[in-house]
Amino acid sequence: MIYETLDQRITEAMLEEKLLSEKLKTNFWKGVKTEMVNAIHNGVKLPNDEAETEILRSMLKRCRTAIEEFSKAGEDNKIAMQNKKVNEFEAWELEQLLPKEASPEEVHVATVNAVVSFVAGKEPGFDMKTLQRYTKDIINIVKAQYPTANNGIIAGVIKEMAH
């Protein structure tokens, strides 16, 4: 997915490093490469779309956490605001690389459909009160359609339907 093109992207970004945003882009791609190389050192085989996606999601989570923390410092803290902007830029870049996340509404609909088809495959007279026992199976059905679906939303829908 990305690993094969990292050196090329870093080189291209370095050539265009005249503006601050280009420097941010260069640093961003260097950061991605560092994360990928660290993963290789930890035994991850790359290129590997699944592992790369997990690495990028982890980076995005760190950026979002940093944005929240820098926001708490307040608008008067110029260094915090600069760091917040850097993390916002990196988060935006990461979001462009990652598969589109399903909206809560899409996950809700997919979960309802998964439950309906799951129950249809069970014996007649299936007791919906036992549905929560099959949460893992239903999560797997939804995740086949939306790999980034939030497990909490899925479990919540299952709980509602079980009662």
Side-chain angles (χ1 to χ4, degrees), residues 101-131:
E101 291 187 22
S103 71
E105 294 79 20
E106 291 170 322
V107 174
H108 188 277
V109 170
T111 304
V112 169
N113 292 337
V115 167
V116 169
S117 66
F118 182 82
V119 170
K122 296 292 178 193
E123 68 277 350
F126 176 78
D127 185 5
M128 285 296 281
K129 292 180 182 177
T130 65
L131 184 63

Side-chain angles (χ1 to χ4, degrees), residues 25-161:
K25 197 171 239 185
T26 299
N27 289 341
F28 168 76
W29 286 112
K30 285 180 179 179
V32 172
K33 175 135 189 188
T34 298
E35 293 291 328
M36 299 283 178
V37 169
N38 287 342
I40 291 170
H41 290 308
N42 290 327
V44 175
K45 295 274 187 197
L46 295 177
N48 173 340
D49 286 351
E50 193 172 307
E52 291 175 34
T53 299
E54 188 56 38
I55 291 165
L56 296 175
R57 277 197 187 111
S58 175
M59 291 177 71
L60 179 58
K61 184 177 180 181
R62 283 195 309 261
C63 284
R64 287 178 176 162
T65 301
I67 291 167
E68 288 176 25
E69 291 302 314
F70 289 126
S71 293
K72 291 177 185 175
E75 296 289 326
D76 295 339
N77 187 326
K78 296 210 183 290
I79 293 173
M81 290 304 104
Q82 287 174 340
N83 285 319
K84 178 184 171 197
K85 287 179 183 178
V86 168
N87 280 279
E88 288 171 340
F89 170 81
E90 291 182 358
W92 184 86
E93 288 284 340
L94 289 163
E95 288 166 352
Q96 304 313 302
L97 296 171
L98 288 165
K100 179 187 172 281
E101 291 187 22
S103 71
E105 294 79 20
E106 291 170 322
V107 174
H108 188 277
V109 170
T111 304
V112 169
N113 292 337
V115 167
V116 169
S117 66
F118 182 82
V119 170
K122 296 292 178 193
E123 68 277 350
F126 176 78
D127 185 5
M128 285 296 281
K129 292 180 182 177
T130 65
L131 184 63
Q132 285 184 277
R133 293 181 190 166
Y134 303 98
T135 297
K136 185 175 179 182
D137 298 315
I138 296 168
I139 285 174
N140 289 336
I141 293 168
V142 175
K143 291 273 189 172
Q145 183 178 3
Y146 295 112
T148 62
N150 182 310
N151 289 356
I153 294 173
I154 299 169
V157 172
I158 294 168
K159 186 176 180 179
E160 286 175 21
M161 293 182 78

